[in-house]
Structure formats: C-alpha cells, structure tokens
Amino acid sequence: MEDLFLIFAGAGGILIAFVHGWLGQTLVLRSVDGLSPPLRSVNAAVFQLSTIYWLATGLALLSAPWLWGDEGRHIIVIGAVFVYSTAAVGNAWATKGRHFGWMALTVVCLLALAGL
C-alpha cells in the first residue's frame, strides 16, 4: 500500500509541475508588463525553476518503490516533503490562502508521508 501512496504522490507532483509550468507560461508570464527583455527572461527562468524542481521530485517519488532501497526511499520522501511543503507554505503565504496550489502541494506531501 505504501508503494501506491508514493506512486500517487509522484504522479500528483508531476501533474502539478506541468499545470504550473503551462499556466504560468501562458497566463502569468505573458501578462507581466513593463520589464526589459533581460528581466523578462530572468523572471521566466525563476518562475519555471519551481516547475523543474517539482517535476524532478515527482519523478523521484514515482521511481522510489522500484529503484531505491528502504534508506533511499526514506531520503526521497523526506526531500520531497521538504520541497513540496516549503512550496505550499510559500504559496499560501504569498496568496493569503486564495490559491489552490498550496492545497494540492499539501496533499502530495501527505501522500508521500503515507508512503513511508
């Protein structure tokens, strides 16, 4: 059952990463006005770095049941909970709780912890 929780946590993290990257690129970053081209590039790179981190973490969680031993599994879950929980806290704080992203990231954290 723990493996299933990790698979769902990994799939959830990957889904969140893709939605964040796609919506961020198409809606958020294109609507930012008043930036010079270099600043626009930096803004996009920083925004999409979280997409890359969440995608990589989701892939690690997804592979944890098969590729890693028990110790590696624990390290991946602890790292994933750190990555997703800090993102959830930052999202909730920055949007004053009005954005669904912190809830989705929290669910992924709980699923990963259930997979220990």
Side-chain angles (χ1 to χ4, degrees):
M1 192 67 175
E2 290 87 8
D3 290 350
L4 205 56
F5 285 127
L6 287 182
I7 291 167
F8 284 136
I14 292 167
L15 179 66
I16 290 168
F18 279 122
V19 169
H20 178 265
W22 179 68
L23 288 178
Q25 194 66 38
T26 58
L27 298 177
V28 176
L29 293 173
R30 289 199 180 151
S31 67
V32 175
D33 291 330
L35 293 178
S36 65
L39 283 178
R40 185 177 291 278
S41 297
V42 168
N43 190 27
V46 169
F47 188 90
Q48 294 298 358
L49 274 176
S50 57
T51 300
I52 293 168
Y53 295 151
W54 296 347
L55 178 64
T57 304
L59 290 171
L61 280 172
L62 198 60
S63 67
W66 300 287
L67 295 181
W68 317 103
D70 285 338
E71 186 176 330
R73 176 188 195 113
H74 284 68
I75 290 169
I76 287 171
V77 169
I78 290 168
V81 168
F82 175 78
V83 167
Y84 291 132
S85 66
T86 55
V89 168
N91 187 307
W93 174 75
T95 64
K96 297 178 177 68
R98 292 185 301 250
H99 188 275
F100 68 91
W102 71 270
M103 291 179 267
L105 292 164
T106 300
V107 168
V108 171
C109 286
L110 295 173
L111 286 170
L113 287 172
L116 275 180

